Amino acid sequence: MASKMHPETAVIHAGHLQEPQGALVSPLYQSATFVFDRVETGSARFAGEQAGPIYTRLGNPTVAEFERRMAELEGYDGAVAFASGMAAVSAVLLGLLDQGDHLICNTCLYGCTHSLVSEQLPRFGIEVTAVDFADIEAIRAAIRPNTRMLLLETPVNPHLAVYDLAAVATLARAHQLISVVDNTFMTPLLQQPKTQGIDIVLHSATKYLNGHGDVIAGVVCADQVHLELLRSRSLKDIGGVLSPHDAWLILRGMKTLALRMERHSVSAQVVAEFLQRHPAVTRVYYPGLDGHPGKALIGTQMRAGGGVLALELKADFEQAVAFVNRLSLFKIAVSLGDAESLVQHPASMTHATYDSDDRARAGIADTLIRLSIGLEHCDDLLADLTQGLAPLTAGLAQEVS
Ligand code: 4LM
């Protein structure tokens, strides 16, 4: 039954085990350690000869339910939960790459992933090359004898460029490289990279998976060949374990994931089209818009454009900042995927980790503004944007007259 469930059903039921008291909702196992009836039981569990919990850093029943649900949704053998999205990213990189290995990643990544690959990995003797993943030949040309892994986000944070996952996966397979996709912006409801041949998928569960802005979490979904190393090296020894309480909150939040992703995407499309028509806006970045190169992959690689978009204004830097400050329903905050609509300035916030050259190479304009479209009524969002843009519109009208 489990493998036949539609994603809309799996977000509610996958991985759930009926507990003996009959509770509909799984209990929260808020316990650091677990008691053994005798020494032999503990020894057998440590030796992997007997199933059962030992200590929450090594596994916890509530966290395990979240892991089973994610593995089912993404279509992999298993999943490992971590204390943050960055713990999930670092778990993959530090758990699966060795000193002397070479990583190829996209020029544009979430700011802290960029600083992890460009500043931290070289400290451990891991070489990194950043190329534009829109250009498959550029990736191929960057492959060296010691290349082990390809890493990308699609759509990318913050400017929503979309990359062809099947092409990346085919290249990776041909050169025996591990392909890794950060699927945070899409969730498995809108995109399942495994179906395109990708080896490992990770998420910041802080965002859409939890969806309520009250948890920091991450998860990696993978097949058996990588799971053991992720559990033993990255979880057991590095130790960025997810709290059972946070796993319980994510399980609760995920029950509405399908409804939320649909609403986020519909509203983002409306907002993107509104902004595209607006005279004070020079450019809108959203995969659901005609003319966006990613639009061709909607319906094949991805089911919809998701809830994040970015824009540039017909304005200088100070005017762009003043526009953001004028918004009231959109809250000025980093993060995304919450019920509340959020607005932020990538160059000085989420992507401030880039130096200006790398930021230009990544295609992140200094005046780029990112919106995370929440679950409010679309008319209220458009009204807030209209009042925020009004002084710019008036200025443009004066220039014309
Ligand atoms: C943000 N993003 O963009 P934790 N992968 C992607 C992300 O967008 C993020 C992470 C990993 C933002 C946070 C402030 C594609 C985070 C890292 O924050 O460690 O759960 O996820 O606004």
Side-chain angles (χ1 to χ4, degrees), residues 311-323:
L311 67 144
E312 284 177 73
L313 296 173
K314 213 170 275 176
D316 61 23
F317 183 76
E318 281 72 28
Q319 289 169 320
V321 168
F323 157 72

Side-chain angles (χ1 to χ4, degrees), residues 312-313 315-326 345 366-369 392:
E312 284 177 73
L313 296 173
D316 61 23
F317 183 76
E318 281 72 28
Q319 289 169 320
V321 168
F323 157 72
V324 174
N325 286 336
R326 270 194 300 276
H345 176 234
D366 282 346
T367 49
L368 190 79
I369 295 164
L392 290 172

Side-chain angles (χ1 to χ4, degrees), residues 196-211:
Q196 310 297 313
I198 295 294
D199 296 316
I200 296 179
V201 163
L202 65 88
H203 291 267
S204 166
T206 312
K207 312 298 181 331
Y208 293 107
L209 294 177
N210 177 54

Side-chain angles (χ1 to χ4, degrees), residues 84-86 110 153 157 182 204 206-207 217 334-336 350 370:
S84 68
M86 285 316 302
Y110 165 58
E153 300 163 5
N157 186 356
D182 183 331
S204 166
T206 312
K207 312 298 181 331
V334 297
S335 204
L336 54 106
T350 52
R370 191 188 77 186

Side-chain angles (χ1 to χ4, degrees), residues 94-109:
L94 297 174
L96 302 182
L97 294 175
D98 291 324
Q99 191 178 22
D101 283 347
H102 175 233
L103 166 77
I104 303 176
C105 62
N106 190 35
T107 43
C108 189
L109 294 163

